[in-house]
């Protein structure tokens, strides 16, 4: 039968054009994870130093509300194809869905789009490990940290899938999330960064609380994205604390003063 204990957590592995940064980042992320009982997946990318880190980044989790960014991206991608602007009703729903995590607004947009359009967007976005729930529950979409990172890359950089206006709109709304929902990956972010976030939280009978956070950090000389997905948290607060410990380690390392090698 095997033991009931969670598997020994794997270590986060980082790579970078600055090897010493990768080493320190791996060390600090793993230190933040030390002793945590939750199942955690991490994927992050800093373009400035070409740094990536991953931990269990292809593991599937129930999306909870993080899928709302995919819903918005699908809506905009579909509208782009028809060369049309969003209606006022669509804008109102999109705003409520992202800034307040409104579920009714999400369900309305989800039903309007339908699974076929969401799947077509996922294919275009290369999010091939994201699987919709067979019974249509958007919050039970199966996501991976790597796929969420692909989405954040599309949102933050020019690409053939999402046009400039679509990307700007997603960044605008994720930058206007209400204060009570700005926890997670923004913890420890530098003061001069523009913070874009969408979180998700859901308790189920199995695997406790799922608590997730997607973050993009732009403006100034910041150009990085962080995805942390967790489950098996005893409480929502445990999940938040887990994510914020990781986030602080990432922000601190990516924004450390340049070494004395600089003239």
């Amino acid at each position: 039968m095997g033991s009931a204990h969670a598997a020994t957590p794997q270590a986060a592995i980082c790579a970078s054009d600055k090897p010493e940064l990768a080493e320190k980042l791996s060390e600090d992320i793993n230190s933040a994870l030390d002793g945590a009982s939750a199942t955690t997946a991490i994927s992050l990318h800093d373009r400035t130093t070409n740094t990536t880190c991953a931990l269990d980044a292809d593991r599937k989790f129930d999306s909870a509300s993080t899928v709302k960014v995919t819903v918005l991206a699908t809506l905009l991608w579909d509208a782009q194809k028809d060369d049309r602007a969003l209606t006022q009703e669509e804008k109102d729903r999109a705003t409520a869905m992202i800034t307040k995590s409104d579920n009714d607004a999400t369900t309305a947009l989800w039903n309007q789009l339908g699974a076929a359009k969401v799947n077509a967007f996922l294919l275009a976005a290369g999010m091939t490990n994201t699987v919709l729930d067979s019974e249509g529950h958007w919050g039970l979409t199966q996501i991976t940290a790597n796929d969420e990172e692909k989405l954040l890359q599309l949102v933050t950089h020019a690409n053939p899938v999402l046009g400039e206006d679509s990307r700007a709109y997603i960044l605008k709304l994720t930058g206007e999330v209400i204060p009570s929902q700005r926890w997670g990956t923004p913890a420890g972010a530098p003061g001069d960064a523009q913070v874009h976030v969408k979180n998700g939280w859901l308790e189920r009978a199995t695997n406790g609380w799922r608590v997730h956070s997607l973050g993009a950090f732009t403006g100034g000389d910041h150009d990085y994205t962080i995805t942390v997905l967790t489950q098996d948290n005893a409480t929502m607060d445990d999940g938040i604390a887990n994510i914020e410990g990781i986030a602080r380690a990432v922000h601190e390392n990516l924004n450390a003063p340049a070494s004395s090698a600089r003239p």
Side-chain angles (χ1 to χ4, degrees), residues 121-203:
F121 169 75
L122 292 171
L123 190 63
M127 296 167 69
T128 50
N129 288 318
T130 300
V131 182
L132 304 192
D133 174 60
S134 58
E135 294 180 8
H137 301 293
W138 48 259
L140 299 184
T141 301
Q142 297 298 293
I143 61 168
T144 69
N146 275 341
D147 270 9
E148 294 306 302
E149 267 301 293
K150 284 180 184 176
L151 179 59
L152 292 176
Q153 293 303 311
L154 289 178
V155 172
T156 50
H157 291 275
N159 63 84
V161 181
L162 291 173
E164 195 175 336
D165 290 348
S166 297
R167 295 192 303 105
Y169 190 63
I170 297 171
L171 286 168
K172 175 181 184 291
L173 293 186
T174 52
E176 294 173 353
V177 167
I178 59 173
S180 63
Q181 293 179 15
R182 296 182 75 81
W183 47 262
T185 48
D192 63 342
Q194 290 177 21
V195 174
H196 314 272
V197 65
K198 184 68 196 88
N199 295 327
W201 55 97
L202 171 69
E203 186 185 20

Side-chain angles (χ1 to χ4, degrees), residues 33-52:
L33 287 165
D34 195 32
S37 57
T39 303
T40 304
I42 302 168
S43 185
L44 67 93
H45 185 201
D46 174 43
R47 282 188 179 240
T48 310
T49 55
N50 191 29
T51 300
T52 57

Side-chain angles (χ1 to χ4, degrees), residues 6-248:
T8 308
Q10 296 164 264
I13 297 172
C14 302
S16 176
D17 286 351
K18 296 182 168 179
E20 70 286 355
L21 171 62
E23 192 177 335
K24 181 82 165 60
L25 198 48
S26 305
E27 192 180 301
D28 289 353
I29 290 173
N30 291 321
S31 172
L33 287 165
D34 195 32
S37 57
T39 303
T40 304
I42 302 168
S43 185
L44 67 93
H45 185 201
D46 174 43
R47 282 188 179 240
T48 310
T49 55
N50 191 29
T51 300
T52 57
C53 296
L55 168 68
D56 216 1
D58 290 322
R59 174 189 284 269
K60 287 187 163 67
F61 292 80
D62 295 329
S63 66
S65 291
T66 53
V67 77
K68 293 170 182 177
V69 182
T70 297
V71 176
L72 177 56
T74 304
L75 177 70
L76 293 164
W77 175 75
D78 188 56
Q80 269 173 206
K81 291 198 298 183
D82 295 337
D83 200 24
R84 71 170 182 89
L86 298 189
T87 64
Q88 189 57 51
E89 184 176 54
E90 286 170 335
K91 286 182 186 172
D92 291 345
R93 284 174 170 164
T95 301
M97 172 174 73
I98 299 295
T99 63
K100 296 186 292 194
S101 211
D102 186 284
N103 290 339
D104 293 341
T106 309
T107 299
L109 290 172
W110 184 264
N111 292 340
Q112 173 190 323
L113 290 164
K117 281 182 180 174
V118 179
N119 277 322
F121 169 75
L122 292 171
L123 190 63
M127 296 167 69
T128 50
N129 288 318
T130 300
V131 182
L132 304 192
D133 174 60
S134 58
E135 294 180 8
H137 301 293
W138 48 259
L140 299 184
T141 301
Q142 297 298 293
I143 61 168
T144 69
N146 275 341
D147 270 9
E148 294 306 302
E149 267 301 293
K150 284 180 184 176
L151 179 59
L152 292 176
Q153 293 303 311
L154 289 178
V155 172
T156 50
H157 291 275
N159 63 84
V161 181
L162 291 173
E164 195 175 336
D165 290 348
S166 297
R167 295 192 303 105
Y169 190 63
I170 297 171
L171 286 168
K172 175 181 184 291
L173 293 186
T174 52
E176 294 173 353
V177 167
I178 59 173
S180 63
Q181 293 179 15
R182 296 182 75 81
W183 47 262
T185 48
D192 63 342
Q194 290 177 21
V195 174
H196 314 272
V197 65
K198 184 68 196 88
N199 295 327
W201 55 97
L202 171 69
E203 186 185 20
R204 297 185 73 190
T206 54
N207 300 111
W209 279 90
R210 292 96 172 109
V211 186
H212 311 317
S213 186
L214 313 179
F217 304 89
T218 63
D221 54 0
H222 307 292
D223 188 0
Y224 59 96
T225 54
I226 309 171
T227 295
V228 186
L229 309 179
T230 74
Q231 65 183 28
D232 301 306
N233 296 287
T235 65
M236 181 174 163
D237 283 346
D238 285 347
I240 293 173
N242 179 22
I243 294 169
E244 293 191 341
I246 296 162
R248 286 193 179 91

